[in-house]
Amino acid sequence: MRWFALGWAFTGVVCLTLTLHGHLAAEGKLRLPSIFGDHMVLQCDMPVPVWGWAEPNEEVAVILKGKLHRVTKADSNGRWMVKLPPQPAGGPHELIVRTRNETIRFKDVLFGEVWVCSGQSNMEWPVALAQNAQQEIATANFPQIRFFVVEKATALEPQSDCKGRWVVCSPETVGGFSAVGYFFGREIHQRLKVPVGLIGTYWGGTPAESWTDLRALESDPDFKPILDRLPRDPETLKRLQEKYEQALEEWRQKAILKDPGNKGEAMGWASPEFDDSDWTTMEVPRPWERISPEMNIDGAVWFRKVVVLPNEWAGKDLLLSLGPIDDYDTTYFNGEKIGATGAETPNSWTVPRQYRIPGRLVKAGANLIAVRIFDQWGDGGFAGRPNQMRLELADGTGKPILLFGEWKFKVEFARHASKVPRQPQPPINNWTPTVLFNAMVAPLVPYAIRGVIWYQVESNVGRAYQYRKLFPALISSWRRAWGYEFPFLFVQLANYLERKPEPTESAWAELREAQLLTLKTVPKTGMAVAIDIGEANDIHPRNKQDVGKRLALAALAIAYGQKIVYSGPIYRSMRIEGNKIRIFFDHVGSGLVAKGEKLTGFAIAGEDRKFVWANAKIEGNTVVVWSEQVPKPVAVRYGWADNPDCNLYNKEGLPASPFRTDDWLGVTVKNR
C-alpha cells in the first residue's frame, strides 16, 4: 500500500517540518527552487507546475488548501514535478510539499496574475528614483502585489535555481523594485481586482544576446559574430582567463596604483571627529552624475552618514549592506576600515557590498559610516536598490535600520573620463552571450506565468539590423523554454540625446524600427511607445508611470482579451497622390490628433533620398504629407531622429510610433 493513501497518519514515524523557502536544508533532501516561497503568487486559471528535488525514487505529495492534489515519485536523479489543476484567483493559502520524513510549508500563497519583468537598466530602475517617488512609495500599500527579484548571476550552462525571495508590496519594500514593473503590476491589480506576482530579472547595461539561449543564437548564421564572443571549450576559457588576469594587473598599475586620489583615509574624512559641516547632501542610491553637470566626473567621492543605534545594539556585531557600488569602495565604521571591494573583483559595480562590523566598534547613540567610492568611468556611486542599504544585527534579530536617503558627500579627486583607462572584463561577464538566460531566466522555467514585460535595447544601439532578427529570436527562445506562446510586451526606445535641427540618419530610430518590425511579425507581442516621455540628457527617464500604464493597456488587450484601445497609431501603408503622400495607420482609436498647434515630426523626400521637413495635416484617419521642395515625393519619415519633435497621437492619448516608409520599400542600406 502506498504510504500517501494513509492520509498522512505516520505511526511511529517522526515527520520533520522545515521552513525552507525553496532551499536545501542540511537536515534533509527535499527542496524546491527559490521561486517557491512564502508570499509567492502562483498563476491562476492555468495548470501550475510545482517541482524540486528529493531522494531518488522518493514519493512526493503536494497539498493545497488542505487537499492532497498530486503525488509523484522523484526520478533517479532526485528530480520531481507535479502540475496543480487550474485555480481561481485568491488566497491566502498554504502549499505543503511532503515526503515520508520531511515537510515544507509555504504560507500566505496567492493565486493571481504572474508576469516576468526583464531587461536592462530602464527596467531595473527602482520606484525610489522614479517621478514623484516619495508619493508613490507612501501610497504603495498593496499587499496582494508581490515581488521576486532574481539575484544577478552569470552561467555558461542553464541553471536549475537562482537566488531570490518573495516580498509583499508595501511602502517599506516597494522602493527597491522595478518602477516599470510596479506601475504595470499596480494597473493590472487595480483593473482586474486580482493578486499580481512580479518576477524581476534584470541587469543594467546588458545586450539582448546575453538574455538569449544558445539554441536560438545557433539557429541563424547572422549571429556568428555574437557566438564568436562565447568561450565554447575549457582550453579557450583558460587562455582568456590568463589573458584577462594579465590585462587586469596592467590596468591596476595604470588606473589605480598611480592614481593620486586613491589615498585611503584622505584628510581624516573617515573619522567621526572630522567636521563635515561644509559638505553637501545627496539622495542615494543614485549615480552622482545625475546631481548636476558639475558632478559628471570620474574619480573619488566620499560619503558620510551618522546613524543612531539603540542601547541594546551596543557591543554587538552588525552587518552593513550597501548594495552594489559603482565601481570600487573602501568602507569605514567609526573611523576604522571594515571592508573594501576593488579592481580584483570582476564586475565590481554589480556586486552587493556587505561588511561585518565587530562589536567593539559599535556604541549606543551616534555612529558614523564613511564610504570612499572610486569611479573609473560611466556612472559612479551607490548603484543598488534602496532596500539593499541597511544596517542590522549580525544574528538576524531585530529590525534593520534603512540607510537610503540623504548622505553627506564631498569630491576628493576628479578627472576627465577620457583619461581613465577602462577596466578589462573577465571572459565571462554580463555581456557574454547566453549567460543571463542561463543564470537568470532558465531557473524560473517552468514556473507558470501569464507573460513577460521587457525594457531592453539601449545596449544594442548601432546593431539595429541585427536586432531585427535577434529580438524575435530572444522571444522565441523564452517561449520555447516555457513551452507556450505567452504575451511578450516591450517598451520602444524613448527619445534621447540632443535634438537635431534638420532630418538626419539615426541609430536610435533604426532600433525603434527594429522593435516595430518585431511587433508586426511576432504573434502576441505588444509595444509601449515612449517617444514622448524620454529626456534629452538622461537615458533613464523618470516617468515610469506612463510606461507601466501603456504596457498594462497592451496586457489587458492581448493577454486578457479586453476590447480597448491599447496602442497609439502604427504605420500601415502609404499612397502617393501627386505632390503629396497619404499615410494610413492602424490603432487610430477614435481618431487622430496633434498635441500642439500644428502636426510636427514629418519629413519627406523625392528620388534623391534627401529628406526635408514637411507639412502635414490630419484628414480623417490618415495624415497627408507634402513639401514645396519635393514636387515628386517617394518616401515619408516620422519621428526619425534620436530625440524627435513629434506630436501625433490618437484621441485616447497614445503616441504614434516613429516610422519610415522608404526602408520597408527596400530602398535603404542592406541588412548587415
Side-chain angles (χ1 to χ4, degrees):
M1 178 182 294
R2 293 175 60 156
W3 56 276
F4 289 116
L6 299 178
W8 300 98
F10 291 93
T11 303
V13 177
V14 177
C15 181
L16 178 62
T17 300
L18 308 172
T19 302
L20 294 183
H21 307 283
H23 296 286
L24 177 63
E27 296 91 340
K29 296 293 185 180
L30 178 64
R31 66 182 178 105
L32 285 80
S34 64
I35 191 64
F36 292 93
D38 293 345
H39 316 302
M40 65 181 160
V41 180
L42 298 173
Q43 179 61 50
C44 64
D45 303 324
M46 288 174 55
V48 174
V50 179
W51 74 96
W53 299 266
E55 288 280 5
N57 303 312
E58 180 87 75
E59 286 188 317
V60 181
V62 178
I63 302 168
L64 176 67
K65 304 178 185 178
K67 177 182 177 182
L68 177 61
H69 269 278
R70 291 288 186 268
V71 179
T72 190
K73 181 179 287 189
D75 64 19
S76 59
N77 295 316
R79 178 84 182 218
W80 58 267
M81 185 174 75
V82 302
K83 285 191 177 181
L84 297 176
Q87 302 291 320
H93 306 295
E94 185 176 57
L95 180 69
I96 301 173
V97 181
R98 282 181 174 171
T99 62
R100 181 182 298 272
N101 297 316
E102 297 176 81
T103 299
I104 300 175
R105 298 177 183 271
F106 298 109
K107 299 178 181 179
D108 188 29
V109 177
L110 302 179
F111 281 87
E113 295 300 322
V114 180
W115 287 83
V116 173
C117 314
S118 190
Q120 58 181 110
S121 56
N122 269 307
M123 182 61 81
E124 186 174 2
W125 201 255
V127 174
L129 297 181
Q131 177 178 272
N132 302 323
Q134 290 185 346
Q135 179 181 351
E136 296 288 10
I137 290 173
T139 58
N141 187 23
F142 295 102
Q144 286 199 325
I145 298 177
R146 311 289 175 82
F147 310 129
F148 182 97
V149 179
V150 178
E151 187 174 307
K152 292 181 174 69
T154 61
L156 286 174
E157 299 291 338
Q159 301 298 294
S160 59
D161 201 0
C162 60
K163 293 182 180 179
R165 65 187 182 94
W166 286 95
V167 175
V168 178
C169 175
S170 70
E172 290 72 36
T173 62
V174 74
F177 192 72
S178 160
V180 170
Y182 168 65
F183 296 129
F184 166 84
R186 184 178 68 182
E187 195 77 10
I188 296 299
H189 174 60
Q190 292 177 326
R191 295 267 194 144
L192 300 183
K193 310 299 183 185
V194 297
V196 172
L198 302 169
I199 302 172
T201 179
Y202 30 66
W203 194 329
T206 53
E209 56 266 30
S210 297
W211 296 97
T212 307
D213 76 2
L214 181 60
R215 177 179 169 185
L217 295 179
E218 289 178 332
S219 67
D220 193 314
D222 285 353
F223 298 149
K224 184 180 183 301
I226 293 175
L227 286 174
D228 287 345
R229 295 192 279 112
L230 177 63
R232 306 292 288 274
D233 63 85
E235 284 301 316
T236 300
L237 187 58
K238 179 181 178 182
R239 184 172 65 255
L240 291 174
Q241 181 66 26
E242 292 172 350
K243 183 178 179 181
Y244 157 71
E245 291 173 358
Q246 179 181 353
L248 179 63
E249 182 57 32
E250 293 174 356
W251 174 83
R252 284 171 56 84
Q253 295 297 325
K254 293 178 181 178
I256 299 297
L257 298 184
K258 294 183 179 179
D259 170 20
N262 201 351
K263 299 176 181 177
E265 299 86 342
M267 297 167 282
W269 289 357
S271 170
E273 286 72 40
F274 179 79
D275 181 6
D276 60 10
S277 58
D278 63 337
W279 288 27
T280 50
T281 61
M282 181 190 305
E283 291 280 338
V284 300
R286 69 183 303 185
W288 62 56
E289 285 83 355
R290 304 290 182 259
I291 299 301
S292 67
E294 291 74 22
M295 285 300 295
N296 188 21
I297 61 170
D298 297 300
V301 179
W302 280 77
F303 291 83
R304 288 167 55 101
K305 186 177 185 69
V306 173
V307 291
V308 178
L309 302 183
N311 292 335
E312 56 268 25
W313 283 29
K316 295 183 179 179
D317 287 3
L318 306 180
L319 285 180
L320 173 64
S321 301
L322 297 171
I325 291 178
D326 193 351
D327 293 300
Y328 317 124
D329 73 286
T330 306
T331 298
Y332 305 84
F333 190 84
N334 286 335
E336 185 168 321
K337 178 180 173 181
I338 58 170
T341 302
E344 71 283 350
T345 302
N347 297 325
S348 61
W349 58 92
T350 69
V351 177
R353 285 10 178 220
Q354 187 175 80
Y355 302 125
R356 192 177 189 92
I357 302 171
R360 60 182 175 79
L361 298 178
V362 181
K363 61 182 180 179
N367 293 257
L368 176 75
I369 302 170
V371 184
R372 180 187 187 275
I373 299 177
F374 180 81
D375 176 44
Q376 57 160 343
W377 67 284
D379 286 344
F382 295 98
R385 302 183 299 274
N387 60 357
Q388 289 180 291
M389 301 185 67
R390 62 188 185 274
L391 186 64
E392 57 198 319
L393 290 166
D395 62 9
T397 61
K399 186 177 181 180
I401 296 173
L402 298 179
L403 300 176
F404 68 87
E406 281 194 354
W407 285 57
K408 288 191 171 185
F409 79 98
K410 186 177 181 66
V411 176
E412 174 195 335
F413 172 78
R415 61 184 177 184
H416 192 272
S418 64
K419 296 181 180 179
V420 183
R422 183 169 178 173
Q423 180 183 350
Q425 294 302 298
I428 305 302
N429 57 70
N430 59 6
W431 269 67
T432 304
T434 77
V435 297
L436 301 187
F437 177 90
N438 293 336
M440 298 180 67
V441 178
L444 304 175
V445 179
Y447 198 83
I449 62 172
R450 182 66 70 189
V452 171
I453 60 172
W454 177 260
Y455 198 156
Q456 183 282 331
V457 70
E458 296 91 339
S459 288
N460 289 85
V461 168
R463 294 187 283 146
Y465 283 80
Q466 184 186 72
Y467 203 79
R468 289 184 175 193
K469 287 187 173 183
L470 180 58
F471 189 30
L474 180 151
I475 296 171
S476 176
S477 71
W478 285 42
R479 288 174 170 173
R480 182 173 57 248
W482 261 274
Y484 58 100
E485 192 177 72
F486 49 74
F488 199 103
L489 316 176
F490 56 91
V491 183
Q492 192 182 48
L493 193 60
N495 51 307
Y496 176 55
L497 300 173
E498 180 184 0
R499 183 163 288 173
K500 302 295 176 61
E502 299 297 333
T504 185
E505 297 301 325
S506 165
W508 289 70
E510 288 182 355
L511 263 179
R512 295 186 194 107
E513 180 184 55
Q515 293 176 297
L516 184 59
L517 288 170
T518 298
L519 175 72
K520 287 178 167 285
T521 58
V522 179
K524 287 191 178 181
T525 56
M527 183 175 74
V529 176
I531 198 63
D532 59 334
I533 52 180
E535 299 177 23
N537 60 353
D538 195 341
I539 202 171
H540 303 116
R542 297 303 192 271
N543 181 357
K544 303 302 189 195
Q545 288 88 339
D546 282 327
V547 176
K549 288 181 179 179
R550 292 171 186 179
L551 285 169
L553 288 174
L556 292 170
I558 297 168
Y560 303 111
Q562 295 190 7
K563 303 300 181 182
I564 60 173
V565 177
Y566 67 91
S567 171
I570 299 294
Y571 170 73
R572 183 173 74 212
S573 62
M574 71 167 222
R575 185 172 70 208
I576 298 175
E577 299 177 352
N579 66 342
K580 299 178 180 179
I581 293 180
R582 186 178 300 273
I583 305 296
F584 298 84
F585 297 90
D586 294 320
H587 300 285
V588 296
S590 54
L592 300 175
V593 295
K595 283 195 175 181
E597 295 182 1
K598 58 179 291 187
L599 197 56
T600 61
F602 286 88
I604 197 167
E607 293 181 353
D608 61 0
R609 305 295 170 192
K610 294 181 180 179
F611 282 87
V612 299
W613 295 125
N615 301 303
K617 69 175 181 177
I618 296 169
E619 290 187 357
N621 289 333
T622 69
V623 172
V624 177
V625 186
W626 76 97
S627 171
E628 295 180 358
Q629 300 178 57
V630 185
K632 295 182 179 181
V634 299
V636 166
R637 293 178 176 181
Y638 170 74
W640 196 262
D642 299 338
N643 185 9
D645 177 12
C646 53
N647 64 350
L648 178 64
Y649 290 74
N650 56 28
K651 289 182 179 179
E652 284 71 20
L654 298 172
S657 169
F659 66 90
R660 60 177 172 179
T661 67
D662 49 308
D663 188 67
W664 290 352
L665 294 174
V667 295
T668 61
V669 295
K670 65 181 181 179
N671 198 350
R672 57 179 183 264

